[in-house]
Amino acid sequence: MPSQPEPTLPEPRRPEPPTGVKARRVLRNPRIWVVPGVLVGLLSLLMSLLYLGGILDPRGDLHDLPIALVNTDRGATVAGQQQNLGEQVVTGIATAPGQGDAVSWRQLDEATAKEQLASGKIYGALQVPPEFTATVAALGGASERPARPTVLQYTNPGVGSLGSSLAAQIGQQAVHQASLALGARLAALPQAQGAGDAARLLIADPIALTTTVGHPIGNRSGLGLSAFYYTLLLVLAGFFGANIIGNGVDVALGYADNEVGPCLLYTSPVVPISRTSTLAVKCAMSVGLSLLTSSLIMLAAAVILDMDADHLPLLWIFSVCASSAVGLGVQAINAAFGGLGLLISMFVFIVLGLPSSGATIPLDALPSFYRFLSLFEPMRQLTDGVRAILFFDAQADAGLTRAWVWIAIGTVAALLFGFAMTRYYDRKGLHRTVPELA
């Protein structure tokens, strides 16, 4: 018998791509542009105004920048009279016309000035040394090379490179004006009349300025900016961590789909769980994973990158609490506002927080709107705490106490607000539903 041909199986066919509405038709529909256009446009406009509005004119926005004036001059006899020219210089700088409210001169003793430098309460200091008047009295005398009277300027890089630089510039200008004023008085004294040309030039502008670091920080501190970037890492870890946790929990509970590349992974069945219980799960995970993120941030910064940092146990505990507070705040906002919560929490913790943190540009050089935001914005409070730990020996009055208080306030407020809203939704029967396919 002739052999029967073996049956051939049909070749598997690839699924045809879905057909229907073309992209061109969708893009022609004006309604699809309205919501994204409005939100993206407003976000771009507000971010431009907020970020650029705070940095364009720090000198013009200066308000009560704290700088110390210290007089340790012992005085001496000048033109037959006992005088203390250091006191006159300090008083002249503090009362000079044309300063407005840009600078807050603080006349302090030497010990208090050093203490405030070490706690970040002042941005710099000018000190008149003990032999100032005696050195001035020797000008125009018999010596061919008389010593020049000197004023000492102390900077404070721990408050930020820009803040310390602004204080140094203001100090230089103030000392120069005081030098010219002192020179005008000295030129009228009899001993200056017979002085040579070189001596008269020295008398006309007698004061030299010597600048030194008043409260040094480590070389690997980013010129004082490491505190800001470390704080930013904690905030971002809390913010992004909360959103990742929120989406992951929703996928695991069956309330959201998980798209991986071209694959759409459906989750089923839906777990019957209340909004309140869901928020409790997300909050617990945010706190738990903040232990991991804070540890990894510290590992990268202090161990791998060798960032200058003391009080590592305290810094770790503070980091965990700070990142947890941010995460709880994001979870509460997302639970209350749903998808819109991402934008709201981004504004609360990042968009409004960065320009009002006082980390890159001091609060005293920001417009009043940003100083108002700094009263309650989380990033300012956390930056003060990290800065106190890294640069100011973890002193409570350097901003650490304020930071701890605001972490506690933020944590309690987030929990109260978040659970109040979810309980309200649950009582009203506003349960989460899974949309059916059309």
Side-chain angles (χ1 to χ4, degrees):
M1 293 182 59
S3 60
Q4 298 292 329
E6 295 183 2
T8 58
L9 297 176
E11 294 184 3
R13 294 193 311 168
R14 295 182 180 179
E16 296 292 332
T19 60
V21 178
K22 300 295 184 181
R24 191 166 50 247
R25 180 179 174 184
V26 174
L27 292 174
R28 287 175 179 172
N29 185 352
R31 290 186 301 173
I32 201 172
W33 291 89
V34 174
V35 174
V38 170
L39 291 179
V40 172
L42 283 177
L43 181 62
S44 301
L45 177 62
L46 289 175
M47 290 180 65
S48 301
L49 293 174
L50 286 168
Y51 288 139
L52 295 177
I55 66 168
L56 294 181
D57 188 17
R59 288 297 297 265
D61 293 323
L62 271 179
H63 179 79
D64 290 340
L65 188 75
I67 304 176
L69 291 172
V70 181
N71 178 38
T72 58
D73 185 16
R74 292 194 289 261
T77 302
V78 181
Q81 296 182 348
Q82 181 69 22
Q83 298 188 42
N84 189 310
L85 297 179
E87 183 64 32
Q88 297 178 25
V89 168
V90 166
T91 302
I93 292 176
T95 60
Q99 299 182 110
D101 61 352
V103 186
S104 174
W105 296 108
R106 300 181 180 181
Q107 298 191 44
L108 307 173
D109 58 61
E110 186 176 9
T112 304
K114 289 181 178 180
E115 178 185 339
Q116 294 197 6
L117 281 171
S119 60
K121 294 179 180 177
I122 55 177
Y123 286 79
L126 295 174
Q127 179 178 345
V128 181
E131 302 299 328
F132 182 80
T133 302
T135 306
V136 172
L139 295 178
S143 175
E144 295 182 359
R145 295 184 179 179
R148 192 174 183 185
T150 302
V151 169
L152 306 177
Q153 177 171 254
Y154 296 102
T155 61
N156 194 0
V159 298
S161 55
L162 181 59
S164 182
S165 176
L166 284 172
Q169 294 174 21
I170 292 171
Q172 291 171 1
Q173 295 172 1
V175 171
H176 179 63
Q177 294 299 321
S179 180
L180 295 179
L182 178 61
R185 293 199 302 271
L186 294 177
L189 297 178
Q191 70 186 56
Q193 303 301 318
D197 292 340
R200 282 200 300 269
L201 289 175
L202 179 58
I203 289 174
D205 186 9
I207 302 178
L209 182 67
T210 300
T211 301
T212 187
V213 177
H215 180 71
I217 59 177
N219 293 328
R220 300 187 62 82
S221 298
L223 299 177
L225 290 177
S226 60
F228 164 67
Y229 283 102
Y230 195 93
T231 304
L232 181 60
L233 288 171
L234 297 179
V235 173
L236 291 178
F239 175 80
F240 287 117
N243 284 289
I244 293 172
I245 289 169
N247 182 71
V249 170
D250 288 342
V251 169
L253 296 178
Y255 290 95
D257 297 325
N258 186 20
E259 186 174 1
V260 180
C263 302
L264 185 62
L265 306 179
Y266 295 95
T267 56
S268 61
V270 174
V271 177
I273 187 172
S274 67
R275 290 179 180 268
T276 302
S277 296
T278 303
L279 178 59
V281 171
K282 294 178 179 179
C283 288
M285 291 185 66
S286 286
V287 174
L289 289 184
S290 69
L291 297 168
L292 173 65
T293 58
S294 299
S295 300
L296 293 177
I297 290 172
M298 177 173 288
L299 173 67
V303 178
I304 299 176
L305 298 177
D306 194 27
M307 180 185 76
D308 288 316
D310 295 325
H311 309 284
L312 290 181
L314 176 60
L315 180 62
W316 181 80
I317 294 172
F318 183 88
S319 301
V320 171
C321 294
S323 190
S324 296
V326 173
L328 293 175
V330 174
Q331 298 291 12
I333 292 173
N334 290 348
F337 298 101
L340 192 60
L342 174 63
L343 281 178
I344 296 175
S345 59
M346 184 176 70
F347 262 85
V348 171
F349 292 102
I350 298 176
V351 175
L352 295 177
L354 284 172
S356 62
S357 65
T360 54
I361 296 180
L363 295 175
D364 310 271
L366 291 175
S368 57
F369 171 69
Y370 298 89
R371 292 196 291 271
F372 168 73
L373 289 178
S374 71
L375 297 176
F376 53 84
E377 265 297 320
M379 192 170 290
R380 184 271 169 109
Q381 327 306 331
L382 300 183
T383 299
D384 284 353
V386 173
R387 179 181 283 167
I389 296 172
L390 292 182
F391 301 147
F392 301 118
D393 199 29
Q395 295 184 65
D397 60 349
L400 187 55
T401 296
R402 177 186 175 89
W404 279 120
V405 169
W406 276 99
I407 286 175
I409 292 175
T411 300
V412 173
L415 293 175
L416 290 177
F417 173 71
F419 283 104
M421 293 301 296
T422 54
R423 287 178 65 86
Y424 172 78
Y425 293 154
D426 287 337
R427 287 198 302 269
K428 290 294 184 179
L430 302 174
H431 305 300
R432 304 181 75 188
T433 57
V434 180
E436 296 182 357
L437 294 177

